[in-house]
Amino acid sequence: MTKILTDQVDKATISKMPRDSFGGRIVVVQKEAEVDEAVNYLLGQKVLGFDTETRPSFHKGHMNQVALLQVASHDMCFLFRLNKLGLPDGLLRLLTENTVLKVGLSWHDDLHSLHRLKAFQCAPFVELQDYA
């Protein structure tokens, strides 16, 4: 059987796909003392998925700061509360380390938001595009 890969999937096709949910453990990190333990675990994984969340702004020209960094492996997801932590050295180590494959959907935008907190040189990412 031949499988065809595509870089675009329309919304109708997505709506017909089976739903799934993350069955792993979710850990909220909101104290700097917890960051290094989480980062050490994540750097021991082969592939990590990244995403950020920012509170929307309804005022033209105003952009809120990124509030959450979500980093997931196949079995664990860490939610780093950046609105409480800022961007501590442990997270910078994770973002700059190039031994783990990092994947993000529209990561360029997320990276721009993180750079508003602190300047750093990010390790290479696999950038997925949102075609839906």
Side-chain angles (χ1 to χ4, degrees):
M1 181 165 94
T2 303
K3 290 187 178 186
I4 299 173
L5 298 177
T6 181
D7 63 355
Q8 294 187 13
V9 179
D10 60 68
K11 289 182 181 183
T13 302
I14 290 172
S15 69
K16 294 176 186 174
M17 291 179 173
R19 295 185 184 259
D20 199 1
S21 62
F22 181 71
R25 185 171 165 218
I26 299 172
V27 178
V28 178
V29 179
Q30 50 191 358
K31 295 179 184 169
E32 197 163 342
E34 302 166 333
V35 171
D36 285 335
E37 184 178 351
V39 168
N40 288 338
Y41 171 82
L42 290 165
L43 287 175
Q45 305 305 300
K46 293 181 181 180
V47 179
L48 297 174
F50 283 74
D51 192 22
T52 64
E53 299 297 333
T54 303
R55 186 169 52 100
S57 172
F58 301 102
H59 302 286
K60 187 175 181 175
H62 177 75
M63 185 175 180
N64 290 310
Q65 286 197 340
V66 61
L68 185 78
L69 174 65
Q70 176 180 306
V71 185
S73 68
H74 70 286
D75 64 346
M76 295 215 26
C77 178
F78 292 90
L79 304 175
F80 295 94
R81 298 281 310 272
L82 301 181
N83 57 334
K84 294 186 180 285
L85 294 166
L87 200 53
D89 290 340
L91 278 177
L92 288 176
R93 182 168 59 103
L94 177 63
L95 291 165
T96 58
E97 177 63 49
N98 62 8
T99 59
V100 178
L101 177 63
K102 298 175 178 82
V103 178
L105 177 63
S106 299
W107 178 248
H108 181 269
D109 296 333
D110 292 341
L111 190 56
H112 179 72
S113 295
L114 291 170
H115 279 141
R116 290 180 64 216
L117 295 178
K118 190 181 285 187
F120 63 96
Q121 184 63 42
C122 191
F125 263 76
V126 174
E127 171 85 18
L128 303 175
Q129 298 297 317
D130 185 3
Y131 292 104

